[in-house]
Amino acid sequence: MKKIKRILIVVLALGLLSGTALTGCRNKAEAADNQVVLYTNADDEAVEAMKNALDKNGYKGKYIVQTFGTSELGGKLLAEGKDIEADLITMSSFYLESAQEEHTMFADLTFETGAKEDYPAYYTPITAQEGAIIYNTEVLKENGLPVPASIKDLADPVYKDMISVTDIQSSSTAWLLIQAIVNEYGEDGAKDILTDIYANAGAHIEDSGSGPIKKVRAGEVAIGFGLRHQAVADKEEGLPIDYVDPSEGNFTLTESAAVVEKDSDKKDLAMEMAECIIQNGREELLKTYPIPLYDGEEADDANKSGNPKVFSEKLSVDLLEKHQALSEECK
């Protein structure tokens, strides 16, 4: 009889513990349900700046951040539309526009952004990034190589095995290069140039947008094509890095914030957070991404590109895929 009582006590205890555990799980799930879900393709520096802006202004613990690669998040936007888990998204602007055209999935922003340029009512930019030619001054000198003036120059056999570029299949940084040569030389001319650039790059075609500048810094190659602001920062830190604004132009991609249109109380909170990021995060964001986007922001002389240009067609996922196909033909 005592043995049966002991068994009953154990069973009851386990039941209570199980109930407590289930209650704890439910509480955690409910807390997560009340948190704004932020999906982003942003770099670590941008994510940190956004989190700092939110945490310092009363939103700590009220959101969850999930990071994705650009193509992965873009695929989710186009496939899932409003059914996406996210309430707030920061993403390449052209992907947001394509997703909005496909699904009408974003709410118009309810706050004044103060942006310098006109943007669609449903998003506002958080960063802008320009492309440029980057080179290692010491490696260039050691190998007796001329400083290139254009992207087309990188197709010259003199640079064989001495340049690094990015693959557009994996990084949008490469699109800045391809936009420049297609805009300047047309698709046929761009194919010839890109074929020779890839031949010169050889094993130095990188998956990451920061891959080329890392190889230039390390002296593995003399020249790369990458993000202009990274080269400016390296030069200011005293590294043997310099940069060229190519004759074809400095093309730009922006990343922007958008709120998903949902029948949910979280939509209003997500809208508040989007406003908070713009109002309170830009100061930190400008330290890494120094292109002015809002009234009152200014760039120093080093961060004013010498030849800013805009592609002749509207940027879209369809155009990206067209240029990806062009790139594949050139490999």
Side-chain angles (χ1 to χ4, degrees), residues 22-172:
L22 287 172
T23 301
C25 289
R26 280 198 300 272
N27 289 339
K28 288 180 181 179
E30 287 170 3
D33 285 343
N34 291 325
Q35 289 177 310
V36 165
V37 178
L38 168 59
Y39 279 4
T40 181
N41 73 324
D43 296 332
D44 291 344
E45 295 88 349
V47 172
E48 190 66 22
M50 290 189 288
K51 289 170 67 175
N52 286 340
L54 293 171
D55 290 351
K56 293 175 182 177
N57 289 278
Y59 296 102
K60 190 170 185 178
K62 296 182 180 181
Y63 65 92
I64 299 170
V65 178
Q66 294 187 37
T67 60
F68 299 85
T70 299
S71 59
E72 183 183 7
L73 182 51
K76 289 180 71 67
L77 289 171
L78 295 174
E80 299 176 20
K82 290 181 182 179
D83 293 331
I84 199 166
E85 182 187 15
D87 305 291
L88 175 61
I89 292 170
T90 75
M91 177 58 166
S92 303
S93 302
F94 69 88
Y95 259 119
L96 295 178
E97 292 188 20
S98 293
Q100 183 73 347
E101 289 177 7
E102 181 76 17
H103 298 292
T104 317
M105 63 181 290
F106 300 117
D108 285 354
L109 301 179
T110 57
F111 56 91
E112 292 293 328
T113 66
K116 289 178 177 287
E117 305 288 337
D118 291 330
Y119 296 95
Y122 57 88
Y123 76 67
T124 192
I126 56 168
T127 64
Q129 302 176 44
E130 287 181 306
I133 296 169
I134 302 163
Y135 63 95
N136 186 308
T137 56
E138 293 177 353
V139 178
L140 211 69
K141 185 177 179 180
E142 288 168 3
N143 289 273
L145 296 172
V147 176
S150 66
I151 297 171
K152 184 178 180 180
D153 286 347
L154 303 184
D156 190 323
V158 72
Y159 296 114
K160 178 69 174 174
D161 297 324
M162 295 302 293
I163 65 172
S164 179
V165 294
T166 308
D167 188 350
I168 193 174
Q169 298 293 339
S170 55
S171 173
S172 57

Side-chain angles (χ1 to χ4, degrees), residues 85-327:
E85 182 187 15
D87 305 291
L88 175 61
I89 292 170
T90 75
M91 177 58 166
S92 303
S93 302
F94 69 88
Y95 259 119
L96 295 178
E97 292 188 20
S98 293
Q100 183 73 347
E101 289 177 7
E102 181 76 17
H103 298 292
T104 317
M105 63 181 290
F106 300 117
D108 285 354
L109 301 179
T110 57
F111 56 91
E112 292 293 328
T113 66
K116 289 178 177 287
E117 305 288 337
D118 291 330
Y119 296 95
Y122 57 88
Y123 76 67
T124 192
I126 56 168
T127 64
Q129 302 176 44
E130 287 181 306
I133 296 169
I134 302 163
Y135 63 95
N136 186 308
T137 56
E138 293 177 353
V139 178
L140 211 69
K141 185 177 179 180
E142 288 168 3
N143 289 273
L145 296 172
V147 176
S150 66
I151 297 171
K152 184 178 180 180
D153 286 347
L154 303 184
D156 190 323
V158 72
Y159 296 114
K160 178 69 174 174
D161 297 324
M162 295 302 293
I163 65 172
S164 179
V165 294
T166 308
D167 188 350
I168 193 174
Q169 298 293 339
S170 55
S171 173
S172 57
T173 300
W175 202 14
L176 299 170
L177 181 152
I178 292 176
Q179 283 183 50
I181 57 176
V182 171
N183 197 71
E184 184 72 16
Y185 307 110
E187 288 189 15
D188 289 339
K191 286 180 184 178
D192 292 338
I193 293 167
L194 196 57
T195 297
D196 291 339
I197 288 175
Y198 285 160
N200 280 345
H204 302 300
I205 300 175
E206 306 297 320
D207 290 334
S208 166
S210 60
I213 193 170
K214 288 179 179 177
K215 288 201 167 181
V216 173
R217 286 171 183 155
E220 292 183 47
V221 296
I223 302 167
F225 184 92
L227 299 178
R228 189 180 189 278
H229 69 268
Q230 292 179 325
V232 172
D234 281 3
K235 183 177 181 179
E236 289 180 348
E237 288 179 14
L239 297 178
I241 300 296
D242 211 335
Y243 52 92
V244 172
D245 293 326
S247 61
E248 296 90 351
N250 303 98
F251 285 75
T252 304
L253 288 173
T254 60
E255 295 184 354
S256 297
V259 175
V260 181
E261 182 67 84
K262 291 184 177 181
D263 295 328
S264 165
D265 293 339
K266 289 196 291 182
K267 178 181 139 183
D268 292 338
L269 184 57
M271 191 69 71
E272 290 178 18
M273 290 184 182
E275 183 176 11
C276 177
I277 288 169
I278 301 308
Q279 290 188 348
N280 302 292
R282 284 292 300 160
E283 183 177 356
E284 184 175 347
L285 285 165
L286 279 166
K287 293 176 182 177
T288 305
Y289 311 94
I291 297 177
L293 295 172
Y294 291 91
D295 295 338
E297 297 178 354
E298 298 291 338
D300 58 26
D301 288 341
N303 282 300
K304 293 177 181 176
S305 59
N307 195 15
K309 287 189 179 180
V310 177
F311 194 67
S312 56
E313 297 178 48
K314 179 183 176 182
L315 301 187
S316 66
V317 173
D318 288 342
L319 182 63
L320 173 63
E321 291 174 349
K322 181 180 179 181
H323 288 170
Q324 286 174 330
L326 182 152
S327 172

